[in-house]
Amino acid sequence: MKKFLLGMMCGAALTASTTLYAADGVWALLFPVKFQFDGESRDIESRFTVLNYEGHTYVPLRLMTEELGAGAAYDQKTRTVSVVKEPVGGTEAERKVWAAQYRLERGMGSKDVKRWFGDPSQVTWIDSSSQQIWRYDLGAKTDYRFGSLNETDVQGLKRGDLDAQLFIRWNGEGQVDRYDLWYTSRADNGERHIYTHIVYPDGSTAGALYE
């Protein structure tokens, strides 16, 4: 096991950390363990790191929830970690909206993104760099068309032409850098409300009811 100095550490291993103060930091050990779920071995992806600190094993929460059919997210404002099960019996669009909130994360490669969302509805190249923006039209009608390459179809969401739009921005290394989710929820009176869920390049998040 390789020893290293860990200045910021959180057992949940989401997009935020809590500083643990010791004399000069916290010493932890990389812990190259193997995992089995229900008796079946699982390979750990390179984006996950397992640590040993004072005899305790710290496993990324996202890793555990993914293997157990759930997802995890962190709310910086309330300092709350949420674990939410994947919806059962919902529409394909509802499952993908859930995946955008609880499975998608910065640093993912295109293979993992396509695993959850398939091929994008539209790909935009940013002129000043080799970066791309992928747009997904979730729950769209079969004849749905939208001309703008990187703007949200707010009116289409309000009319019910589609249920959600997801924009994924890639960095030069081919990893997810930022993503914006716009999705609808129907009120008791049948009116559609639009909500946003944004994850920025620095890992901070934002979300609100769109007025």
Side-chain angles (χ1 to χ4, degrees):
M1 293 187 291
K2 184 178 179 181
K3 183 180 289 187
F4 68 103
L5 180 64
L6 184 66
M8 300 191 71
M9 176 176 172
C10 179
L14 293 171
T15 57
S17 299
T18 300
T19 306
L20 300 181
Y21 292 95
D24 295 311
V26 175
W27 288 98
L29 298 172
L30 290 175
F31 202 38
V33 297
K34 298 179 180 179
F35 283 89
Q36 288 187 347
F37 293 87
D38 294 328
E40 296 185 10
S41 298
R42 293 285 192 275
D43 293 328
I44 304 304
E45 299 176 32
S46 59
R47 62 192 173 102
F48 294 127
T49 300
V50 181
L51 304 176
N52 183 285
Y53 173 66
E54 293 188 348
H56 296 284
T57 301
Y58 286 78
V59 181
L61 179 61
R62 187 175 291 274
L63 165 64
M64 300 302 293
T65 56
E66 287 185 7
E67 291 294 339
L68 297 174
Y74 178 72
D75 188 324
Q76 292 177 308
K77 293 181 179 179
T78 62
R79 300 173 64 88
T80 302
V81 174
S82 300
V83 176
V84 181
K85 293 181 180 179
E86 184 175 4
V88 178
T91 65
E92 181 180 3
E94 289 172 338
R95 292 192 295 272
K96 289 184 177 180
V97 166
W98 174 87
Q101 294 173 305
Y102 297 105
R103 288 289 176 85
L104 186 60
E105 63 178 325
R106 293 179 57 258
M108 270 189 173
S110 59
K111 180 179 179 180
D112 290 322
V113 171
K114 288 186 177 181
R115 171 188 171 194
W116 293 108
F117 304 100
D119 292 324
S121 306
Q122 178 73 44
V123 175
T124 304
W125 288 88
I126 303 175
D127 294 337
S128 59
S129 68
S130 60
Q131 293 177 308
Q132 299 180 47
I133 298 177
W134 289 9
R135 190 188 86 206
Y136 287 90
D137 302 326
L138 307 179
K141 295 180 178 179
T142 54
D143 59 348
Y144 176 74
R145 296 291 184 273
F146 183 57
S148 180
L149 298 178
N150 54 16
E151 293 182 1
T152 306
D153 184 6
V154 175
Q155 295 305 315
L157 289 169
K158 288 182 177 180
R159 288 193 303 266
D161 295 342
L162 71 168
D163 295 322
Q165 275 190 322
L166 173 64
F167 298 86
I168 299 176
R169 179 169 181 151
W170 300 84
N171 62 24
E173 287 71 46
Q175 298 174 326
V176 175
D177 189 48
R178 165 183 171 152
Y179 49 98
D180 300 53
L181 172 68
W182 294 65
Y183 63 100
T184 60
S185 178
R186 193 179 295 275
D188 293 337
N189 61 3
E191 183 180 355
R192 282 176 173 261
H193 295 295
I194 300 175
Y195 295 86
T196 62
H197 173 76
I198 303 171
V199 176
Y200 296 100
D202 63 359
S204 60
T205 61
L209 170 64
Y210 178 79
E211 299 292 348

